[in-house]
Amino acid sequence: DVKVTQSSRYLVKRTGEKVFLECVQDMDHENMFWYRQDPGLGLRLIYFSYDVKMKEKGDIPEGYSVSREKKERFSLILESASTNQTSMYLCASSGQWKNQPQHFGDGTRLSIL
Amino acid sequence: DQQVKQNSPSLSVQEGRISILNCDYTNSMFDYFLWYKKYPAEGPTFLISISSIKDKNEDGRFTVFLNKSAKHLSLHIVPSQPGDSAVYFCAAYAGNNRKLIWGLGTSLAVNP
């Protein structure tokens, strides 16, 4: 079974802090994704990576960066946290083909105070 | 602009009856479609998919129908069970694009 593990279920940080969200997958997947989910807005893609050290911007990359130094690990970085980044963050991974669906972690509920 | 639209934010169904969740899309380049289910405080889980070369795919109680000319797909759950109560997302791929385009979801409540 595919396992996508996000480092924290709940996180509380302060405005201006640098925040790291970590995600690890155990299926040797090429693709990894970071989304945020907000009420009424569905899932919005922040960044994704299709290979080690490769990254592409999603629909809402502003205020975020990512790092993928190893194939199994994909980190999301909030450079200077702001209150509008309070959200549920979801990490996913998938194989390189369309018929290999994305598998998600359980999410990190991040609150910025 | 929403390329994948789930026009019903919520749906309520009696246990044992059929649930039909609908999804419309605007991009004619979409060629692979997926349905995901999401419980509160959990990540989405993959449910069923369909390629544009098919018009139906079935997996147990779940069937997805695709009408390319109408740019419409639907998910049928028969019979519906209380454990099916969740938010259902429709999503689509276009060609070689790695990005999955998501609808906003439909919240299904199956009442005992």
Side-chain angles (χ1 to χ4, degrees), chain A residues 29-42:
Chain A
H29 281 161
E30 288 78 8
N31 300 331
M32 294 190 75
F33 307 83
W34 275 107
Y35 293 89
R36 62 179 280 179
Q37 185 189 13
D38 300 287
L41 297 178

Side-chain angles (χ1 to χ4, degrees), chain B residues 19-87:
Chain B
S19 295
I20 300 176
L21 296 103
N22 293 305
C23 180
D24 296 296
Y25 61 95
T26 57
N27 188 341
S28 57
M29 298 301 290
F30 286 151
D31 59 1
Y32 198 83
F33 303 88
L34 305 92
W35 284 95
Y36 281 79
K37 177 170 77 172
K38 186 183 184 300
Y39 293 119
E42 292 183 14
T45 54
F46 169 71
L47 203 52
I48 192 168
S49 61
I50 188 166
S51 164
S52 60
I53 61 172
K54 293 185 171 182
D55 53 17
K56 177 182 172 182
N57 190 25
E58 208 168 338
D59 184 2
R61 295 186 298 115
F62 302 92
T63 303
V64 56
F65 295 92
L66 175 62
N67 182 334
K68 286 193 295 291
S69 60
K71 293 193 178 70
H72 177 83
L73 65 156
S74 60
L75 175 68
H76 293 211
I77 307 174
V78 184
S80 302
Q81 299 173 353
D84 296 329
S85 298
V87 176

